[in-house]
């Protein structure tokens, strides 16, 4: 039976907080909120489950490329 419910990314998968427009990795779920760590690293942010989706390939690539460019500029 098909479900109309959209599946959201699981722990360790790429995710997008649609309210903030940021792409990161799902780290867990606490208190009914999904914790997403930015791809660049840092502290997790909380997002309501309804606002979490799978980023498009373009969105994920763009986020990863921005980090790579910043590291290159910093000489890393």
């Amino acid at each position: 039976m098909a479900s109309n419910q959209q599946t959201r990314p699981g722990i360790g998968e790429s995710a997008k907080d649609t309210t903030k427009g940021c792409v990161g990795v799902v780290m867990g779920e606490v208190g009914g909120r999904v914790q997403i760590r930015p791809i660049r690293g840092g502290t997790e942010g909380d997002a309501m489950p309804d606002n979490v989706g799978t980023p498009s390939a373009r969105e994920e690539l763009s986020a990863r490329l921005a980090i790579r460019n910043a590291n290159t500029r910093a000489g890393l």
Side-chain angles (χ1 to χ4, degrees):
M1 180 191 309
S3 173
N4 290 337
Q5 197 174 32
Q6 184 178 5
T7 60
R8 89 175 163 255
I11 294 174
E13 296 180 332
S14 295
K16 179 180 178 182
D17 180 345
T18 57
T19 58
K20 297 176 186 172
C22 48
V23 177
V25 178
V26 175
M27 301 307 291
E29 197 170 321
V30 176
R33 295 177 185 255
V34 178
Q35 294 185 314
I36 302 174
R37 176 175 288 164
I39 288 179
R40 69 184 177 281
T43 306
E44 295 91 5
D46 291 336
M48 296 303 291
D50 291 343
N51 298 331
V52 176
T54 303
S56 69
R58 175 180 229 135
E59 290 169 324
E60 185 172 358
L61 179 61
S62 178
R64 291 185 186 281
L65 185 58
I67 294 162
R68 178 75 175 209
N69 288 340
N71 287 341
T72 299
R73 283 189 296 272
L76 300 176

